[in-house]
Amino acid sequence: MAHKYVYLFDEGNAGMRNLLGGKGANLAEMTGLGLPVPYGFTITTEACTRYYDDGKMISDEIVHQIYSALATVESAVGKKFGSVENPYLVSVRSGARASMPGMMDTILNLGLNDDTVLAMARLTNNERFAFDSYRRFIQMFSDVVMGVEKAKFDKILDAAKKAHGCEKDTDLTADDLKEIVSAYKALYLAQKGEAFPQNPHVQLIEAVKAVFRSWDNPRAIVYRRMNDIPYSWGTAVNVQSMVFGNMGDDSGTGVAFTRSPSTGEKSLFGEFLMNAQGEDVVAGIRTPSPISVLADTNPEVYAQFVRIADILEKHYRDMQDMEFTIEKGKLYMLQTRNGKRTAAAALQVAVDLVSEGMITRQEAVAMIDPKSLDALLHPTFDAKALKEGKVIATGLPASPGAAAGRIYFDATEAMEAGERGEAVILARKETSPEDIEGMNIAKGILTSFGGMTSHAAVVARQLGTCCISGCKDINIDEASKLITILKSGETLTEGDWLSLDGSTGKVYEGAIKTVPAELSGNFATIMGWADAIRRLKVRTNADSPAQAATAVRFGAEGIGLCRTEHMFFDEDRIPAVREMIVAKNAEERAKALAKILPMQKEDFKGIYKAMGARPVTIRFLDPPLHEFLPHKDEEIADLAKTMGLSFEELKATVDGLKESNPMMGHRGCRLSVTYPEIAEMQTRAVIEAAAEVRAETGLDIIPEIMIPLVGEVKELKYVKDIVLATAKKVFVEKGLKFKFLVGTMIEIPRAALTADEIATEAEFFSFGTNDLTQMTFGFSRDDAGKFLSDYYAKKIFESDPFARVDQIGVGKLMQMAVKLGRETRPDLHLGICGEHGGDPSSVEFCHRIGLDYVSCSPYRVPIARLAAAQAVIKGSKAGK
Ligand code: ADP
Ligand code: MG
Ligand code: MG
């Protein structure tokens, strides 16, 4: 039998998501539940993959299957494509496995042409409706399929509205719309050099191809990379019988959630517009009414909708996001999916569903996106500062959080400002998918149009970025970069400060002080459940007592990486460090190091105290020494003067430290091989600090000393011997003794390859995956930015190997090191301390290969805790 590329809605179900896409699978599921879903069929994701494999062509085999499904649906609904007695119209909708809101475009009213539009007018006795549908179709088809910009059509529409004195599109009459249709067709002809396609079968196949093509558009590529969605998945296409929300005042369209996507509160939350179609609600063209209004204006439909919402939530056991249309008083369901929500809402819903008995704690832990927690860990406004703040406008509280930043009116400029390190508020009339990167970097988003389900609102909630939408108190003029406060006439321009409260919708003048997040309540509940499930320990990378304290608040169980060099840069320390570097002999060097010793010791004491009894891994000096010296002549001259050296002398030192590839130069353990005094001093600082804190607090502190950049067991042994000898000396001096560990980082491929040898000396391994990644790939993290975008564009890489562990290559080295290391030393303690330690997919990998802990930056600790629990859940599912 031929491969099946097309499924009717009554041939699929929710379990077929990979094949039918999320939208298609759920349309099939709702059909199966007997809900009112307009009939149709889904062209599979495999057809999309095949389209690309065939060189961007739809094979005859697939076309044939599409036509045959079409014929089935036509006879089921009793209408026919192109018929002037009973014309059949469809929507063509994309739908990938993972929902990608706004990424791919839907075409409505397909099947209309110069003849069928007249038939529709006659059959419905509603000429206005027929031509309204036709003008929408021409515009969508031209834009999505043929690449004629939407703006060109909007211009015609706006001009017509103006000419006829209409404020809203619903004020246009049938005759106005006919004129618009003619103008649209003329525009199409002028742009494409041929008439608008009249054959519905041609329209359909062209539309299907356009959906397949859109899988590869730049917006989709960016979105996929941000959300770890592989290119290989492809998108499905849904072809569905049209129902019409634009048939008059007894018709409409809307979207609703079973619970609040902002707070998680259990109540129907949504918006609708009467006499409207498709994206009108989310496009912010007219301002929609809250769903509760429907209870008054159309109680029967409302009651039915409430019932369906309840069925769907119980069926999917999760909060649902639904799209519906009312055609002449009859309700149709057009979509359902697990609703996107803010992090706070996600926790609330998960905790509520557990207490409602709908899901288990495990399921609750599994349903929260670890990355989304980030939003909860960030500051809110300081209550006092907020009280004194001046509210200059109020809009819709579309995505909670607090943000203060400088105003930018253009997504690209916002992105540039963000990359310069500025706090950015992106102000737009409304946002569109093109703005995604600017929205991603913004601290807050402000729009003057659109509702709670507008593009800006949906995307901001997903990003965890604070957003105020539909702010009608202001006018945003993007072209002249001006916000006008309508009441007062005051204006703000690019670069001015503004503060947004996404939880109340209030816009404040200037920059308002923010305070750290509250970590109790639902957050603590879910984290507690996650902690009970996970096996991996979670440590943090922290270099100061303050960072350590933050991490402990977030649940860190130790420090996996304390970088000692960060302390060296301190203003009152760097002179001693520089003295050490320019020292001409061991004696001078020892003298300079003696100055650094008490400072390091105090730092370590502070960190031990902040961490209590939790383990602390301290890494010895790692960076090349040139980083501590100036490089410009005038700076060298200045420093020479303060150090009592001649310019030439210091310049010679600086030049002497120059390396053609510092990342692979004189750094890490190599420094201690050349200058054993450094390791001696650092050991002394670590042991003495531990001794003193032990004496002061009675805590059983077991220091962990980590030797960086080891590639050969003999260099590790050389440095370790210095550590052991120095520690012994300190113990004798102080007349005490306690346990401490010496281990190494695995960050040079040779260390992974010879891990069995390394483990004879190392008591623990910590994977330094930043260096390990750069040395395995042979490109540096700092330079990769220059060409990685080409690699993404050409599909050589799908994600940044410095953000997610490359499990195939780097991961193989890690697995090898785990296996070889444990062969030598079965109780070898294993962790990771690269950036990857806070990336959920990398955490899962670390769980799988049997590490003992991950270590990440303080703000990512909760993310890692949750991801570690999810790794266990995933693993047990896979094992079944
Ligand atoms: P998106 O994935 O961007 O939400 P959809 O495919 O869901 O795109 O389509 C957007 C909107 O178009 C839907 O919410 C619905 O209002 C409208 N729509 C889609 N298909 C139909 C249809 N068969 N009849 C009426 N309206 C439809
Ligand atoms: Mg859309
Ligand atoms: Mg939709």
Side-chain angles (χ1 to χ4, degrees):
M1 212 189 83
H3 192 79
K4 190 166 167 67
Y5 286 105
V6 179
Y7 288 76
L8 294 162
F9 286 172
D10 42 13
E11 292 178 322
N13 61 57
M16 294 163 74
R17 189 182 190 95
N18 292 357
L19 191 61
L20 303 180
K23 198 179 286 169
N26 287 337
L27 284 168
E29 187 78 11
M30 286 199 290
T31 304
L33 288 173
L35 300 182
V37 177
Y39 199 30
F41 56 90
T42 303
I43 305 161
T44 65
T45 54
E46 288 177 356
C48 178
T49 311
R50 170 94 189 262
Y51 164 85
Y52 283 101
D53 288 348
D54 289 349
K56 302 200 183 180
M57 283 235 330
I58 298 194
S59 68
D60 289 346
E61 186 191 358
I62 295 175
V63 171
H64 181 80
Q65 291 189 27
I66 292 173
Y67 287 162
S68 128
L70 178 68
T72 307
V73 175
E74 281 175 334
S75 65
V77 301
K79 296 178 184 172
K80 222 164 167 48
F81 247 8
S83 157
V84 291
E85 273 85 56
N86 225 342
Y88 181 51
L89 305 188
V90 296
S91 65
V92 177
R93 321 170 62 186
S94 64
R97 261 195 233 184
S99 95
M100 294 172 62
M103 284 296 124
M104 284 178 270
D105 296 298
T106 297
I107 298 161
L108 302 178
N109 312 323
L110 188 140
L112 281 175
N113 60 27
D114 294 351
D115 300 323
T116 53
V117 70
L118 295 175
M120 287 298 288
R122 183 174 36 88
L123 285 167
T124 58
N125 201 13
N126 189 341
E127 208 178 22
R128 191 199 170 279
F129 151 74
F131 281 90
D132 184 53
S133 302
Y134 198 22
R135 64 102 184 163
R136 289 168 185 270
F137 171 54
I138 295 173
Q139 183 250 298
M140 283 184 268
F141 187 89
S142 306
D143 174 22
V144 178
V145 180
M146 306 305 291
V148 185
E149 290 149 63
K150 180 173 181 289
K152 293 203 164 85
F153 293 96
D154 282 345
K155 224 162 141 189
I156 294 175
L157 184 64
D158 287 343
K161 280 204 270 191
K162 212 166 187 186
H164 297 292
C166 301
E167 200 185 305
K168 292 175 293 196
D169 58 332
T170 39
D171 298 336
L172 293 162
T173 65
D175 285 338
D176 302 342
L177 289 161
K178 276 186 197 166
E179 258 175 47
I180 292 168
V181 163
S182 303
Y184 276 12
K185 285 197 299 185
L187 171 65
Y188 184 93
L189 180 63
Q191 291 284 317
K192 303 306 295 184
E194 58 185 32
F196 187 80
Q198 295 288 311
N199 180 335
H201 286 87
V202 171
Q203 293 172 353
L204 177 62
I205 297 302
E206 287 306 314
V208 171
K209 284 199 280 191
V211 175
F212 287 160
R213 278 202 306 274
S214 76
W215 178 248
D216 211 8
N217 75 29
R219 274 150 37 191
I221 291 169
V222 169
Y223 187 90
R224 278 203 295 275
R225 201 166 64 241
M226 277 166 47
N227 293 278
D228 296 337
I229 298 173
Y231 170 71
S232 63
W233 282 4
T235 180
V237 186
N238 302 290
V239 178
Q240 186 175 29
S241 308
M242 279 303 300
V243 287
F244 300 99
N246 57 336
M247 274 197 169
D249 293 331
D250 54 355
S251 304
T253 180
V255 297
F257 292 81
T258 52
R259 299 172 192 238
S260 160
S262 289
T263 66
E265 185 201 341
K266 188 176 179 180
S267 72
L268 207 54
F269 173 98
E271 294 172 326
F272 72 101
L273 261 182
M274 293 314 270
N275 199 9
Q277 196 176 48
E279 308 273 77
D280 289 3
V281 181
V282 292
I285 291 163
R286 280 182 275 149
T287 298
S289 316
I291 193 89
S292 54
V293 171
L294 196 62
D296 302 329
T297 57
N298 207 329
E300 266 163 54
V301 168
Y302 182 76
Q304 190 190 357
F305 184 70
V306 169
R307 208 167 57 240
I308 290 175
D310 190 52
I311 290 173
L312 287 173
E313 190 179 87
K314 293 218 168 85
H315 186 71
Y316 285 96
R317 302 190 305 140
D318 195 359
M319 182 245 268
Q320 293 300 295
D321 166 4
M322 301 156 295
E323 299 177 2
F324 63 93
T325 282
I326 305 163
E327 179 181 307
K328 294 194 151 302
K330 181 162 168 27
L331 176 68
Y332 292 94
M333 297 303 296
L334 291 173
Q335 190 171 342
T336 194
R337 62 179 167 207
N338 295 343
K340 303 261 176 223
R341 61 205 80 175
T342 63
L347 297 180
Q348 184 71 52
V349 169
V351 170
D352 284 351
L353 290 181
V354 170
S355 58
E356 288 164 31
M358 220 187 281
I359 61 171
T360 64
R361 287 179 177 189
Q362 269 214 354
E363 286 170 316
V365 165
M367 78 194 282
I368 290 165
D369 173 11
K371 282 186 182 165
S372 74
L373 293 180
D374 195 45
L376 295 174
L377 310 177
H378 287 288
T380 50
F381 285 128
D382 173 78
K384 201 161 141 246
L386 194 64
K387 242 188 219 151
E388 285 155 20
K390 183 177 157 202
V391 178
I392 51 177
T394 305
L396 301 171
S399 177
R406 293 176 185 275
I407 306 166
Y408 284 88
F409 293 86
D410 172 274
T412 310
E413 285 165 19
M415 195 170 74
E416 287 163 5
E419 281 170 356
R420 285 196 300 271
E422 281 184 38
V424 168
I425 301 285
L426 180 65
R428 305 276 302 160
K429 265 192 170 40
E430 54 190 296
T431 61
S432 70
E434 282 83 20
D435 298 331
I436 191 84
E437 285 180 292
M439 298 173 76
N440 193 27
I441 211 159
K443 295 261 183 286
I445 297 163
L446 174 64
T447 69
S448 52
F449 284 97
M452 295 290 284
T453 50
S454 64
H455 179 264
V458 171
V459 173
R461 282 197 293 268
Q462 199 182 349
L463 292 172
T465 303
C466 130
C467 173
I468 297 176
S469 66
C471 186
K472 298 209 167 5
D473 300 350
I474 55 171
N475 179 51
I476 297 179
D477 185 340
E478 291 157 3
S480 41
K481 301 190 172 175
L482 224 54
I483 293 181
T484 309
I485 301 156
L486 296 176
K487 230 187 271 158
S488 63
E490 279 170 76
T491 59
L492 294 161
T493 184
E494 184 178 279
D496 286 349
W497 282 90
L498 206 59
S499 298
L500 307 182
D501 187 338
S503 312
T504 61
K506 291 193 172 116
V507 181
Y508 295 86
E509 190 178 71
I512 293 179
K513 196 179 142 206
T514 52
V515 287
E518 179 61 58
L519 301 174
S520 54
N522 294 330
F523 179 83
T525 304
I526 294 278
M527 281 296 150
W529 293 346
D531 290 345
I533 296 169
R534 72 187 156 95
R535 177 189 64 75
L536 274 177
K537 297 268 182 213
V538 178
R539 295 194 185 188
T540 190
N541 300 348
D543 308 334
S544 71
Q547 283 174 22
T550 303
V552 167
R553 267 200 326 126
F554 291 151
E557 297 166 291
I559 290 183
L561 175 63
C562 171
R563 302 175 187 84
T564 48
E565 61 270 14
H566 282 195
M567 308 164 172
F568 282 18
F569 285 102
D570 225 88
E571 217 178 313
D572 31 302
R573 302 177 178 195
I574 197 146
V577 176
R578 287 168 170 165
E579 246 175 72
M580 168 193 81
I581 297 170
V582 302
K584 289 191 202 63
N585 51 48
E587 200 183 319
E588 272 185 42
R589 200 169 307 113
K591 226 172 84 193
L593 284 165
K595 289 189 197 164
I596 304 172
L597 173 67
M599 307 185 215
Q600 283 243 292
K601 198 163 98 182
E602 280 313 305
D603 291 331
F604 295 153
K605 283 176 74 176
I607 287 173
Y608 286 141
K609 284 181 188 160
M611 293 308 289
R614 299 173 187 86
V616 175
T617 303
I618 293 171
R619 180 181 70 182
F620 277 9
L621 190 62
D622 185 51
L625 295 179
H626 78 89
E627 287 190 10
F628 300 102
L629 291 177
H631 295 94
K632 288 200 194 109
D633 276 355
E634 62 245 45
E635 288 166 356
I636 294 174
D638 277 353
L639 181 62
K641 215 183 278 164
T642 51
M643 292 184 77
L645 298 169
S646 75
F647 170 77
E648 287 72 22
E649 245 176 317
L650 187 57
K651 174 88 174 152
T653 306
V654 172
D655 287 346
L657 289 172
K658 244 188 212 138
E659 294 175 312
S660 51
N661 190 346
M663 292 312 294
M664 300 178 103
H666 197 191
R667 54 173 287 227
C669 65
R670 296 158 202 161
L671 290 170
S672 292
V673 170
T674 310
Y675 310 117
E677 304 82 14
I678 296 178
E680 275 168 29
M681 182 280 286
Q682 294 205 287
T683 305
R684 188 170 274 279
V686 168
I687 300 292
E688 286 186 3
E692 287 170 29
V693 175
R694 279 171 161 261
E696 279 174 39
T697 62
L699 290 169
D700 184 27
I701 290 169
I702 302 169
E704 299 178 2
I705 291 174
M706 183 155 73
I707 313 297
L709 223 72
V710 164
E712 155 63 49
V713 67
K714 283 191 216 130
E715 65 185 340
L716 172 60
K717 179 161 186 336
Y718 179 84
V719 181
K720 185 183 169 188
D721 285 346
I722 298 169
V723 171
L724 296 183
T726 309
K728 197 166 164 195
K729 227 195 266 168
V730 177
F731 285 149
V732 170
E733 282 167 22
K734 305 227 168 209
L736 47 78
K737 201 170 162 136
F738 50 83
K739 190 175 160 191
F740 65 96
L741 303 174
V742 183
T744 184
M745 291 185 71
I746 303 290
E747 52 186 336
I748 289 184
R750 194 178 187 280
L753 295 167
T754 61
D756 46 349
E757 294 183 16
I758 305 267
T760 59
E761 294 296 334
E763 292 171 286
F764 62 86
F765 285 174
S766 176
F767 289 97
T769 45
N770 299 343
D771 266 311
L772 189 60
T773 298
Q774 85 178 349
M775 303 230 196
T776 302
F777 277 95
F779 52 66
S780 86
R781 181 167 52 157
D782 303 322
D783 296 323
K786 290 189 197 129
F787 54 81
L788 275 184
S789 53
D790 297 328
Y791 275 63
Y792 299 142
K794 295 178 184 172
K795 309 217 165 56
I796 297 168
F797 286 174
E798 284 193 46
S799 65
D800 179 354
F802 292 103
R804 305 181 71 186
V805 168
D806 156 44
Q807 298 184 8
I808 296 171
V810 175
K812 191 183 268 182
L813 284 171
M814 291 171 70
Q815 274 175 291
M816 181 184 295
V818 169
K819 183 166 169 287
L820 292 176
R822 285 215 172 115
E823 272 167 23
T824 301
R825 194 187 281 265
D827 63 344
L828 186 69
H829 198 234
L830 297 167
I832 178 175
C833 63
E835 283 295 303
H836 304 92
D839 166 64
S841 74
S842 308
V843 171
E844 193 203 329
F845 180 71
C846 292
H847 170 83
R848 254 193 352 251
I849 66 171
L851 300 196
D852 297 300
Y853 70 90
V854 297
S855 187
C856 54
S857 60
Y859 275 90
R860 291 168 93 185
V861 166
I863 297 174
R865 285 163 70 195
L866 186 57
Q870 292 183 349
V872 173
I873 296 168
K874 252 193 185 165
S876 67
K877 259 196 209 142
K880 262 181 208 159

